[in-house]
Amino acid sequence: MITITNEKLTVKVSELGAEIRSIRRVGSDHEYIWTGDATYWNGQAPLLFPAIGKLWNGQYRIDGQVLEMPKHGFARRRDFKVEEQTADSVVLSLEPDDELLAIFPRQFKLSVTYRLDGNKVLVGWTVENRSNRTMPFQIGAHPAFCYADWHADDEVHGYLSFEGVTDKLVSAAMTADGFRDGTSFDVALDSDGRLPLANDTFLCDTIIELRRKTNAITLHDKQGRAMVTVRHHLPALGIWSPHGGKAPFVCIEPWIGACDTAGYEGLYADRDIVHSLLRGETFNNVYSIELM
């Protein structure tokens, strides 16, 4: 476990998956990142790469081949190398071995940077295409944020607000087995422009907003006080909590990508939301987690 700290925050990161395992204010006992208790969900803040969600039949098509890819890709299950570390930052990287090249036939380097800036955690992704062919990929974050003072029988555990959106979200609809069905539905916000987080909020499984309407999402406690804001500039947003919402946390997930539509058997490069790098090109992105 790697620890970085500044005058306001202490953050812990695992080399496994380059995953955030803890965010705390200096001098506070409140943990912002879910503990990974498998009673609810054994993840904490996995990095999704090079796929987001499920692929139809667990397969994708590239270079005339049909290959298998696990849900959310493979990065979250791989050990990253620590390349640089200071008191308040760390850079980790992943390069493919023969096992990964059999799953994803591209030479690449994926680097993840965590840097503290006051009460913000800046999370940077760099993807380098080191192969001779175009490299399509998806990438996304999946951080789970703990509610404050959670009780299972509370009517509302907290709220989400969305910068620039005050009336509704429009979510892609999901099948029972975790694929998009090609339709959408409205998710109404309350009179204060917030989404109440209750034990039945996620009976739809995941709220997937694909309209690019908001780039800042704030989690509020039961009293409506702002706790944490995720800011991003990616085309998709996932919001999820397991067991229909009967869990002590909610995930706020900025993505380039989404799960397949049921029955999709097209090329990987033609999935609805995908980023492609030409030979030698590099992709860079930064999103932030700000404690309020």
Side-chain angles (χ1 to χ4, degrees):
M1 197 70 65
I2 301 156
T3 300
I4 57 175
T5 189
N6 67 2
E7 71 281 1
K8 294 191 175 183
L9 302 179
T10 297
V11 173
K12 294 184 178 180
V13 178
S14 173
E15 293 176 43
L16 178 61
E19 182 176 15
I20 296 179
R21 296 292 177 87
S22 173
I23 300 176
R24 292 182 183 235
R25 291 186 186 273
V26 171
S28 171
D29 291 332
H30 179 72
E31 176 59 70
Y32 284 82
I33 296 295
W34 171 239
T35 63
D37 180 353
T39 303
Y40 297 96
W41 181 52
N42 63 3
Q44 292 183 266
L47 171 63
L48 315 183
F49 175 88
I52 290 175
K54 288 184 176 181
L55 287 81
W56 184 248
N57 292 326
Q59 298 174 331
Y60 74 106
R61 288 157 176 79
I62 191 171
D63 303 340
Q65 305 177 77
V66 179
L67 302 175
E68 295 187 352
M69 176 79 73
K71 180 182 178 181
H72 292 324
F74 50 69
R76 61 184 178 145
R77 303 298 187 207
R78 304 294 295 196
D79 287 322
F80 281 62
K81 174 186 175 183
V82 177
E83 294 211 338
E84 301 175 28
Q85 185 175 358
T86 67
D88 62 359
S89 69
V90 64
V91 180
L92 305 99
S93 67
L94 175 67
E95 298 179 55
D97 54 18
D98 290 343
E99 180 183 359
L100 285 190
L101 288 171
I103 298 172
F104 187 64
R106 293 293 185 272
Q107 289 286 350
F108 68 88
K109 183 176 182 180
L110 168 62
S111 300
V112 183
T113 301
Y114 294 100
R115 182 171 65 86
L116 306 185
D117 179 13
N119 62 339
K120 296 179 184 178
V121 184
L122 303 179
V123 186
W125 300 326
T126 299
V127 182
E128 302 173 43
N129 180 10
R130 295 180 167 182
S131 65
N132 292 323
R133 296 188 177 191
T134 298
M135 176 178 150
F137 67 92
Q138 297 178 320
I139 191 167
H142 199 320
F145 297 103
C146 298
Y147 295 127
D149 191 30
W150 180 82
H151 298 284
D153 57 354
D154 282 341
E155 183 176 347
V156 174
H157 304 301
Y159 301 87
L160 289 176
S161 63
F162 307 88
E163 186 175 85
V165 178
T166 58
D167 55 348
K168 66 181 179 180
L169 303 177
V170 177
S171 175
M174 302 276 288
T175 66
D177 52 352
F179 298 96
R180 287 178 292 140
D181 71 6
T183 68
S184 63
F185 64 95
D186 292 347
V187 180
L189 305 183
D190 68 14
S191 59
D192 294 316
R194 305 174 306 182
L195 174 65
L197 300 168
N199 287 332
D200 60 356
T201 300
F202 296 96
L203 295 179
C204 61
D205 187 279
T206 307
I207 296 171
I208 303 175
E209 170 64 79
L210 302 177
R211 299 180 303 161
R212 306 188 186 202
K213 292 291 186 179
T214 184
N215 295 115
I217 306 93
T218 299
L219 172 63
H220 304 256
D221 67 13
K222 289 179 284 190
Q223 287 72 44
R225 295 171 296 203
M227 294 175 57
V228 60
T229 295
V230 175
R231 297 183 186 276
H232 72 97
H233 297 281
L234 303 182
L237 172 67
I239 311 167
W240 175 78
S241 188
H243 309 292
K246 297 178 181 179
F249 62 88
V250 63
C251 296
I252 302 171
E253 310 176 40
W255 297 337
I256 297 178
C259 58
D260 272 347
T261 301
Y264 180 74
E265 293 185 342
L267 296 177
Y268 185 80
D270 293 338
R271 295 182 83 193
D272 287 345
I273 306 173
V274 69
H275 193 89
S276 291
L277 292 174
L278 300 176
R279 180 179 64 181
E281 284 190 331
T282 298
F283 163 85
N284 291 288
N285 180 79
V286 177
Y287 79 93
S288 67
I289 298 170
E290 180 179 4
L291 303 195
M292 308 305 287

